[in-house]
Amino acid sequence: MKLLGALFALAAIAAAGVAIAYFQPGGAAEDSVDLSELEGELSGSSCRRLAGISARLAERELEPIPFLRALGLQVAGIRPPPLALGDLARGGRNVIPGRGFLDPLDDGSSGQARHFAGIAVATTFFAGGSQTRWISENLRRDPANSPDGLLTEAGILFARLLTSGELQPEEAPEWQLDRLCRRN
């Protein structure tokens, strides 16, 4: 019964977020990273552009939570609260569609960058990885051993490392290139 109540509460919050998003569209376009400025290993595939966006955001010297939330906006279209809950409920949007993720993380879709960034930012709203993981597995139906499940774990780990201080935002692009992106 408690689970049903929690699911109902989550659905009500998500519905409120969707309603707010419907009546207040838009985002922080003035804070957008210009993808045409990305070069070298930080350009090309969507995975490499994800790392490029992380590099540009790291230049702003943001603290971990604002960094993750900016990454969520730039890569997955997850706007700041309260709009974030509606965006997360919809699954975000593919701001940088494409491929380029390592085989175990690649589900054949063009939405893996969105998935990774959405999971990472979701941890900032759902009190960490365990709630985010539960939502991913049970509500989004991404089994733990699937490419999306593995990418969920990578997003949760990335967010945990940032928020714990074990990984600094300026180290994020290298972490992403090493652990998420194909070499070619």
Side-chain angles (χ1 to χ4, degrees):
M1 192 61 143
K2 287 183 182 182
L3 178 61
L4 185 58
L7 289 175
F8 180 74
L10 183 61
I13 292 169
V18 169
I20 291 169
Y22 179 79
F23 292 109
Q24 293 181 348
E30 67 278 356
D31 292 333
S32 294
V33 171
D34 185 356
L35 294 176
S36 68
E37 295 176 359
L38 301 179
E39 299 175 342
E41 69 177 351
L42 301 178
S43 65
S45 73
S46 72
C47 190
R48 292 185 177 283
R49 286 182 285 159
L50 164 71
I53 290 170
S54 291
R56 294 287 190 234
L57 292 174
E59 292 172 358
R60 298 178 184 172
E61 298 181 2
L62 300 169
E63 293 296 318
I65 299 291
F67 175 86
L68 288 167
R69 291 190 177 175
L71 186 67
L73 175 64
Q74 299 296 314
V75 177
I78 309 297
R79 294 170 290 179
L83 303 174
L85 295 176
D87 293 339
L88 286 166
R90 280 195 321 270
R93 60 185 171 83
N94 287 333
V95 178
I96 55 169
R99 308 278 303 271
F101 284 77
L102 293 171
D103 285 338
L105 306 173
D106 186 358
D107 70 354
S109 76
S110 63
Q112 297 305 85
R114 172 196 48 81
H115 184 107
F116 175 81
I119 290 293
V121 73
T123 67
T124 71
F125 298 110
F126 298 120
S130 61
Q131 293 86 353
T132 302
R133 182 180 300 107
W134 188 91
I135 290 168
S136 179
E137 290 177 2
N138 296 287
L139 300 181
R140 306 286 310 168
R141 300 188 190 264
D142 293 330
N145 61 349
S146 70
D148 281 342
L150 297 173
L151 199 55
T152 293
E153 286 305 315
I156 291 169
L157 174 62
F158 177 72
R160 184 186 61 75
L161 291 172
L162 280 170
T163 56
S164 71
E166 296 174 63
L167 181 70
Q168 298 302 308
E170 60 270 12
E171 299 168 319
E174 183 177 343
W175 189 96
Q176 291 164 339
L177 289 170
D178 288 347
R179 290 169 180 81
L180 304 176
C181 299
R182 288 189 187 143
R183 308 290 182 252
N184 49 8

